[in-house]
Amino acid sequence: MKILVADSINEKGIEILKKEVDVVVDPTITPENLLKTINEYDGIVIRSRTKVTKEVIEVADNLKIIARAGVGVDNVDVNAATDKGIMVVNSPESTSITVAEHTMGLMLSLARKLSIADKSVKEGKWEKKKFMGMELKNKTLGIIGMGRIGSQVVSRCKAFKMDTIVYDPYLPDEAANQMGVDLTDLETVLKNADFISIHVPLTTETKHLISTEEFKIMKDSSFIINCARGGIIDEKALYHALKDDVIGGCALDVYEEEPPKKDSKLFELDNIILTPHIAASTKEAQRDAAIIVAEEIISLSKNETPQNILNMPRVDNYKDYTPYLDLCKKLGSFISQAVNGKLNEIEIIYGGEVAELPNHELLTRSIIQGAVNPYLKGEVTTINSPIVAKERGITITEGVRNDAKGYDSLIKVSAINGNERFSAEGTNLHGPRILKVNNYWVDVKPEGHMFIAKYEDVPGSIGKIGTLLGENKVNIGVMQVGRELDSGKAIMVLTLDHEVPEEVMEQLKSLENIYNVVKLTL
Ligand code: NAD
């Protein structure tokens, strides 16, 4: 893989990349040069300077990954990347501890009035009474958003012997139990917390989540901290709440407009602490961001799936999925080639242990990828495979069953075209294996050149095919035949050392008692 590092990132990340892939470091590359050279690269690493626009993506014919060392991807056209099958990754966990520590710093500064005490001493004053503070011990922390950062703040506040209540309607009770916190509604948090810390994303739902009415519910001594995103707190309402002592104080790292206007009314107040969006700015966070994105690129270079893909649903415990990924791709490719790409529905049934995985999206995407790739020029990836299937009018249906017919796991994939259906069932036994084709049990490794034919289960049918292939110097690797009870029909699945030439295919199709002759490449 050839990777362009287009912004300055921590040296550690570059070191890791250089051990495994070709790296070009050009942290001052201009937009014009990026446009000219991007098609040479398989991956690009950026921070916030370089913009990966739709125009760049359109000409980036070899690009597979856009890696943002950091969190926000406002400088990447993620939709254009998704359409082209390019994954966009970031490093959200690189900043969690850094932001949580900044939050703690602000909380302590509010409790002990550190910023105004500092200002007062520097002005030559000694106002000990004015700066009477409070302990964090036994105070109630109210967390809004118990994700990566919120949970880090909670664990630090536990060390300060604070009680915690949490508002996060998307956090399952089980996860909250494991974290040792009590979930409650927003009003209870507002009413009871001495310190409220916001850690939700800015969405239409969280815009102005805290405004005039919410300030009224809060204790008049309470403090609120926002290290998440500007706009979650309504700044006009905040100004009045602080000025009229509706609440005790506030600390902000993020603003509705950044930087805030020079004449912002918030600057007039003593009971607010303001920092310039630096909660994530530590050397450690930048180093970790560079290491994380370098590792994401290395995993892609080893055909593994990176962890922080933004344009694909997140998979926890990725290792649980890896045994099935290749199998899924092969099953998709097998059924689709077997029907010459003529399918308007793919039906997938996960059976046994694989059915118990919490999320099958990655596996389903791999099946679709395998099914559509043989018929398209550009490489389809797990990022854009559902989009490509939709564009081609292919419906995907998915189900689970407990039974795996004696195996630990069994995945059944069917290509459906009107009333016709072609199915293959497979498992992972030291690599992908196909165990059933339609109603016939077989056992074959789906790889290289293959051949399937249905035939009358009468003496001579198998011999005719073997002879014709042998006469044309097509060597058979493995031959698996499966017979259907009662119907008198059987199926043959062969792996071959060479592709069957077209003229031989025509002769095979004309043989008596032989039908549905198809060649495949897996
Ligand atoms: P996360 O995705 O891990 O956690 C967000 C949590 O918010 C989730 O648990 C989610 O269930 C919850 N949530 C979503 N909508 C909610 C709602 N309407 N009400 C209550 N809870 C809701 O995110 P994170 O990594 O913890 O980041 C949290 C915030 O911090 C984000 O807004 C992020 O942009 C911001 N951030 C700021 C800085 C900075 O420099 N100040 C740096 C990094 C992250």
Side-chain angles (χ1 to χ4, degrees):
M1 277 182 101
K2 193 172 169 193
I3 305 296
L4 171 66
V5 177
D7 283 339
S8 57
I9 64 162
N10 186 281
E11 232 3 81
K12 276 264 168 226
I14 296 174
E15 266 171 42
I16 294 173
L17 282 172
K18 279 187 175 163
K19 280 188 200 148
E20 303 278 346
V21 293
D22 290 339
V23 184
V24 174
V25 181
D26 189 354
T28 54
I29 191 166
T30 60
E32 296 73 36
N33 277 344
L34 181 65
L35 208 56
K36 262 190 225 156
T37 57
I38 191 69
N39 65 348
E40 294 170 22
Y41 297 101
D42 299 289
I44 180 170
V45 179
I46 52 164
R47 279 180 60 208
S48 50
R49 187 195 70 98
T50 298
K51 300 204 170 8
V52 187
T53 59
K54 191 171 184 186
E55 292 68 42
V56 171
I57 289 166
E58 262 165 17
V59 294
D61 287 337
N62 294 310
L63 204 65
K64 296 166 188 68
I65 184 164
I66 301 167
R68 158 79 161 103
V71 184
V73 283
D74 319 345
N75 50 331
V76 178
D77 191 329
V78 180
N79 288 336
T82 307
D83 286 348
K84 208 160 175 188
I86 301 169
M87 65 177 70
V88 181
V89 301
N90 67 349
S91 57
E93 65 272 48
S94 61
T95 55
S96 305
I97 290 178
T98 284
V99 177
E101 288 188 3
H102 192 76
T103 305
M104 293 311 296
L106 293 175
M107 202 179 295
L108 287 163
S109 297
L110 285 169
R112 305 307 294 267
K113 306 186 169 108
L114 296 185
S115 64
I116 47 170
D118 168 72
K119 195 167 154 230
S120 152
V121 175
K122 286 176 181 162
E123 284 168 0
K125 299 175 194 160
W126 197 252
E127 306 173 290
K128 288 181 69 139
K129 275 198 188 137
K130 186 173 167 189
F131 301 125
M132 180 64 69
M134 63 146 83
E135 288 185 349
L136 298 189
K137 189 179 170 196
N138 293 336
K139 299 296 181 304
T140 299
L141 167 73
I143 289 281
I144 301 180
M146 184 73 175
R148 281 176 290 255
I149 299 171
S151 53
Q152 292 292 342
V153 172
V154 166
S155 70
R156 278 150 187 79
C157 287
K158 278 189 179 161
F160 279 89
K161 309 269 185 267
M162 296 177 81
D163 299 321
T164 307
I165 45 176
V166 172
Y167 170 61
D168 188 331
Y170 304 107
L171 187 72
D173 287 338
E174 204 179 298
N177 283 344
Q178 274 174 8
M179 293 173 179
V181 293
D182 293 327
L183 285 177
T184 183
D185 53 86
L186 181 60
E187 192 174 338
T188 308
V189 167
L190 297 173
K191 209 183 254 175
N192 295 293
D194 300 297
F195 291 87
I196 293 170
S197 196
I198 298 176
H199 302 287
V200 291
L202 177 66
T203 60
T204 44
E205 198 189 353
T206 61
K207 169 113 179 133
H208 289 185
L209 183 71
I210 307 296
S211 191
T212 310
E213 289 312 308
E214 288 71 31
F215 287 123
K216 280 188 198 154
I217 303 171
M218 287 163 62
K219 295 182 187 179
D220 59 8
S221 57
S222 67
F223 296 110
I224 187 160
I225 302 165
N226 186 8
C227 284
R229 280 286 178 265
I232 299 169
I233 296 183
D234 174 352
E235 284 179 13
K236 269 195 193 129
L238 173 68
Y239 170 74
H240 291 292
L242 290 170
K243 188 163 177 291
D244 303 338
D245 295 323
V246 178
I247 62 169
C250 172
L252 297 182
D253 184 54
V254 288
Y255 306 86
E256 293 198 42
E257 188 183 334
E258 293 191 5
K261 289 216 167 62
K262 289 214 164 68
D263 59 354
S264 168
K265 286 185 151 225
L266 294 175
F267 299 170
E268 298 166 8
L269 303 166
D270 254 359
N271 50 355
I272 187 164
I273 300 173
L274 306 171
T275 55
H277 203 147
I278 53 164
S281 303
T282 58
K283 286 183 191 151
E284 291 84 351
Q286 302 217 332
R287 181 203 56 204
D288 290 354
I291 293 174
I292 290 168
V293 292
E295 284 170 349
E296 294 283 62
I297 288 174
I298 305 280
S299 42
L300 184 68
S301 78
K302 293 181 175 164
N303 267 335
E304 292 163 5
T305 301
Q307 288 292 289
N308 299 309
I309 308 175
L310 292 171
N311 42 0
M312 199 171 82
R314 188 181 153 79
V315 170
D316 290 324
N317 302 324
Y318 175 72
K319 283 200 167 61
D320 295 345
Y321 294 81
T322 42
Y324 306 109
L325 290 176
D326 200 24
L327 169 69
C328 285
K329 242 189 272 175
K330 296 253 164 122
L331 282 170
S333 185
F334 188 85
I335 53 122
S336 141
Q337 290 187 61
V339 297
N340 287 317
K342 287 189 198 99
L343 72 173
N344 45 32
E345 185 178 341
I346 299 175
E347 183 192 82
I348 304 161
I349 297 172
Y350 297 102
E353 285 174 9
V354 66
E356 287 163 24
L357 288 172
N359 183 341
H360 295 107
E361 175 116 30
L362 178 59
L363 302 183
T364 296
R365 281 171 178 247
S366 300
I367 291 171
I368 306 170
Q369 180 191 15
V372 292
N373 249 336
Y375 300 99
L376 293 175
K377 264 196 182 154
E379 173 80 358
V380 176
T381 69
T382 45
I383 304 296
N384 62 349
S385 62
I387 300 174
V388 174
K390 201 168 171 198
E391 282 167 3
R392 294 171 71 86
I394 302 172
T395 309
I396 310 296
T397 52
E398 193 190 292
V400 290
R401 65 178 173 214
N402 301 332
D403 178 35
K405 301 180 185 167
Y407 293 90
D408 291 342
S409 288
L410 198 64
I411 302 176
K412 179 175 181 180
V413 183
S414 307
I416 301 172
N417 187 11
N419 291 330
E420 287 170 37
R421 167 187 285 266
F422 183 93
S423 307
E425 293 180 57
T427 194
N428 183 45
L429 281 176
H430 310 294
R433 297 201 84 96
I434 291 182
L435 300 171
K436 203 171 180 193
V437 177
N438 291 335
N439 291 323
Y440 309 93
W441 285 99
V442 294
D443 182 2
V444 67
K445 264 191 193 172
E447 60 186 18
H449 298 295
M450 296 186 75
F451 171 89
I452 315 173
K454 219 170 164 186
Y455 58 93
E456 292 295 338
D457 192 9
V458 291
S461 296
I462 298 175
K464 272 192 238 168
I465 296 173
T467 307
L468 194 53
L469 289 173
E471 280 170 359
N472 287 281
K473 308 221 167 354
V474 180
N475 197 37
I476 297 173
V478 173
M479 175 184 278
Q480 279 282 320
V481 290
R483 46 173 29 156
E484 199 175 45
L485 292 177
D486 306 330
S487 78
K489 301 237 172 2
I491 200 164
M492 167 187 292
V493 183
L494 307 181
T495 62
L496 305 166
D497 292 352
H498 312 280
E499 187 178 351
V500 186
E502 265 321 309
E503 60 277 12
V504 181
M505 282 300 290
E506 289 313 311
Q507 292 174 45
L508 285 162
K509 283 177 192 168
S510 64
L511 289 175
E512 203 188 337
N513 291 337
I514 316 286
Y515 338 90
N516 304 110
V517 180
V518 202
K519 62 175 179 173
L520 312 88
T521 308
L522 283 126

